[in-house]
Amino acid sequence: MTPHPLRRHAHTALSALAPRAAARWATSIFSSTRTYGLRPDNTLPLGATPFTIHGNHDVTDGFLWNKDGRGSALLVHGWAANSSSMHSLVPPLRNQGLRVAAFDGPAHGVRKGDQATMTQYTRAIGAALDTLGDVKVVVAHSLGGIAAIAAVAAHTGRMPECAVLIAPPATLGAVLERWDGGGLRLTPPLVQGIYKELHRRNGVPVSHWDLAARGTALDLPTLILHDPDDPLVPYTDARTITAGLKNAHLADADGGHTGILMHHTTTTHITHFTTQHLTTPNGPHPHPHPHPHTHTHPHHEGTP
């Protein structure tokens, strides 16, 4: 018997005997940050400099490329991935004179643990924005897009000048409704239990994680890149987000849900968009403090 059928039978029995425990189990599978089971090596990425991220116990450090650039680009990876999934976007942003920053999200990459919440990820992004102090563009992939827009909307410091969202889902609820259960049998009562457990863990209901709703007050030029044939996040989500934000533009790119990050159409779109919307930096920028804890890792991606 394969692991998934074993998991399904065990969970079915638990659902009958202890439905709340079954919901907690299912929520932990949905929220897993270790879909592929691999933990990357703790090595500095090629050409990067380490920096400390202040004010967040889940994410304490990240990396910079072109550390003396004027204005920063902040890269935000998707769920069950890590910062290495965004490395292909470093050169086009660095070539525009930006310093480029990235980090592993809570319980992602080399971080401890295998569970995280959207609330934790949003707070970590906010801490990176505060630490860098001069983020001009945020580039986020997949579910990282919802967390990134939520963090920007809550940010009280200098606001970015534009954002790029790559293959973003419209809502966390939509991701949950499309989820295959990870080997579990998703009955309606169990799904409702997952919603309640996610509410408890995040401190806000699942409906809170709606990208357009979180960004409704932002007048931020936003480029949305999506492959019409994305097998994980439907193109209709990109259309919904574009219609819901004040200043968003949707462009097609190739590569599916993860390959889109490395496809030349994506880098071309990003270069053209940021050239249009970024002002010429002037004056010195803050320098995050170097940190001895450094790492790099292989490319993996997924959604909870």
Side-chain angles (χ1 to χ4, degrees), residues 197-217:
E197 180 63 12
L198 284 171
H199 188 168
R200 185 189 71 80
R201 295 185 187 189
N202 279 278
V204 292
V206 172
S207 59
H208 174 85
W209 304 111
D210 179 316
L211 199 155
R214 299 278 59 79
T216 189

Side-chain angles (χ1 to χ4, degrees), residues 254-276:
D254 300 316
H257 191 69
T258 57
I260 190 173
L261 292 169
M262 294 168 283
H263 202 276
H264 68 87
T265 56
T266 296
T267 55
T268 298
H269 280 304
I270 289 176
T271 298
H272 180 68
F273 178 76
T274 52
T275 298
Q276 283 186 313

Side-chain angles (χ1 to χ4, degrees), residues 62-256:
F63 341 104
L64 297 175
W65 290 263
N66 193 30
K67 66 184 180 67
D68 293 321
R70 291 291 182 242
S72 297
L74 177 61
L75 304 179
V76 178
H77 64 75
W79 204 269
N82 56 60
S83 57
S84 69
S85 67
M86 308 295 285
H87 284 180
S88 59
L89 303 180
V90 172
L93 293 165
R94 185 182 57 202
N95 289 344
Q96 291 183 268
L98 296 165
R99 68 172 176 178
V100 184
F103 65 89
D104 285 354
H108 288 77
V110 299
R111 308 289 174 208
K112 294 180 180 178
D114 58 9
Q115 297 286 309
T117 66
M118 289 290 286
T119 296
Q120 286 177 293
Y121 203 5
T122 299
R123 289 173 178 168
I125 297 167
L129 290 170
D130 288 339
T131 298
L132 293 165
D134 66 344
V135 173
K136 299 173 75 67
V137 55
V138 176
V139 182
H141 179 232
S142 194
L143 268 172
I146 299 179
I149 290 298
V152 169
H155 187 53
T156 57
R158 178 176 175 177
M159 296 298 287
E161 296 176 6
C162 60
V164 179
L165 306 177
I166 304 172
T171 67
L172 180 62
V175 174
L176 177 55
E177 294 298 328
R178 292 191 292 262
W179 185 45
D180 66 2
L184 306 182
R185 184 172 288 110
L186 294 177
T187 63
L190 177 59
V191 172
Q192 288 306 307
I194 296 172
Y195 272 90
K196 291 179 181 178
E197 180 63 12
L198 284 171
H199 188 168
R200 185 189 71 80
R201 295 185 187 189
N202 279 278
V204 292
V206 172
S207 59
H208 174 85
W209 304 111
D210 179 316
L211 199 155
R214 299 278 59 79
T216 189
L218 296 174
D219 190 9
L220 185 70
T222 303
L223 173 65
I224 299 164
L225 296 175
H226 210 108
D227 185 339
D229 296 320
D230 187 325
L232 294 181
V233 178
Y235 193 69
T236 51
D237 276 32
R239 288 175 173 160
T240 298
I241 295 166
T242 305
L245 296 177
K246 289 181 181 178
N247 192 359
H249 170 70
L250 173 60
D252 294 354
D254 300 316

Side-chain angles (χ1 to χ4, degrees), residues 49-53 60-64 74 100-103 128 131-132 288-291 293-294:
T49 301
F51 77 101
T52 298
I53 294 176
T60 57
D61 60 281
F63 341 104
L64 297 175
L74 177 61
V100 184
F103 65 89
T131 298
L132 293 165
H289 301 295
H291 193 282
H293 181 65
T294 58

